[in-house]
Amino acid sequence: MAQRPKKQALLNQVDARSKNKRPTQKKRLSPQQQRALQQQQLQQQAQLAAAQQEEAKPNKTRWIIAAVVLLLIIVFPKPKLITYEKLGLVAQSVYWPGLPGIDPILFDSNLHIRPALERNTLYLCQDERDPDSCQKYQIIEQQGFISAVMRLIFD
């Protein structure tokens, strides 16, 4: 005869609940261990705060640098490419209006400049103090910053 296998009973609900309800006891830490744990937590918080500040600093510095560059572009005078002529002789040159305290410059000339751009006139003088050494040129065309930069690069 064949042996009958023993039937095993499944855990009933009462037994399953009793197994899950086993209390888990937390280990109590000594005061030294508590202090060490607190110090570790403080160090981790400090590291997180430092990392956040480091991430914020480059963003601020980028914005500050961008603002300064934009301000410089707006405030400082930009060079112009001017075409001027006298007695049928036409010349083209890059003109920079200068800053307060710095005279205007014509990049391809050693002469001193007295501009009257609103009247389309340019005076080139050999001596700053002597108005008789100046020659009057008629400005035919004024072009912007990009044209001036291209002229400086390609010449």
Side-chain angles (χ1 to χ4, degrees):
M1 253 202 243
Q3 293 182 355
R4 290 187 184 184
K6 287 186 177 181
K7 289 184 179 180
Q8 292 184 353
L10 296 173
L11 293 176
N12 62 15
Q13 292 178 354
V14 175
D15 292 337
R17 284 187 207 150
S18 65
K19 283 191 174 184
N20 289 339
K21 286 187 179 178
R22 288 185 186 162
T24 56
Q25 294 180 356
K26 293 183 180 178
K27 292 182 180 179
R28 286 205 157 180
L29 300 175
S30 68
Q32 292 173 348
Q33 291 174 335
Q34 286 178 350
R35 282 189 222 123
L37 183 62
Q38 286 176 349
Q39 287 177 353
Q40 287 177 351
Q41 290 174 348
L42 289 175
Q43 287 175 352
Q44 289 174 351
Q45 289 174 355
Q47 288 173 352
L48 288 174
Q52 289 175 352
Q53 286 178 352
E54 288 176 7
E55 290 176 4
K57 284 182 184 178
N59 290 337
K60 286 182 182 179
T61 55
R62 286 180 188 160
W63 282 108
I64 291 171
I65 290 170
V68 168
V69 168
L70 183 63
L71 182 68
L72 291 175
I73 289 172
I74 292 171
V75 171
F76 283 105
K78 292 159 241 1
K80 297 179 183 179
L81 180 65
I82 58 172
T83 305
Y84 54 96
E85 69 100 17
K86 180 178 181 179
L87 300 173
L89 179 64
V90 178
Q92 212 175 34
S93 183
V94 177
Y95 167 77
W96 184 64
L99 295 170
I102 299 175
D103 293 332
I105 299 171
L106 202 58
F107 279 96
D108 62 352
S109 176
N110 291 333
L111 300 174
H112 301 283
I113 301 165
R114 290 188 183 172
L117 299 178
E118 64 278 352
R119 294 180 292 175
N120 287 332
T121 306
L122 182 69
Y123 294 97
L124 298 177
C125 306
Q126 291 178 352
D127 185 12
E128 271 185 289
R129 297 179 192 110
D130 185 15
D132 292 336
S133 69
C134 296
Q135 294 186 13
K136 180 180 176 181
Y137 290 85
Q138 185 69 32
I139 296 176
I140 299 170
E141 183 180 13
Q142 294 183 28
Q143 296 177 357
F145 173 73
I146 295 173
S147 299
V149 170
M150 297 299 280
R151 171 77 181 213
L152 287 173
I153 290 173
F154 292 124
D155 282 350

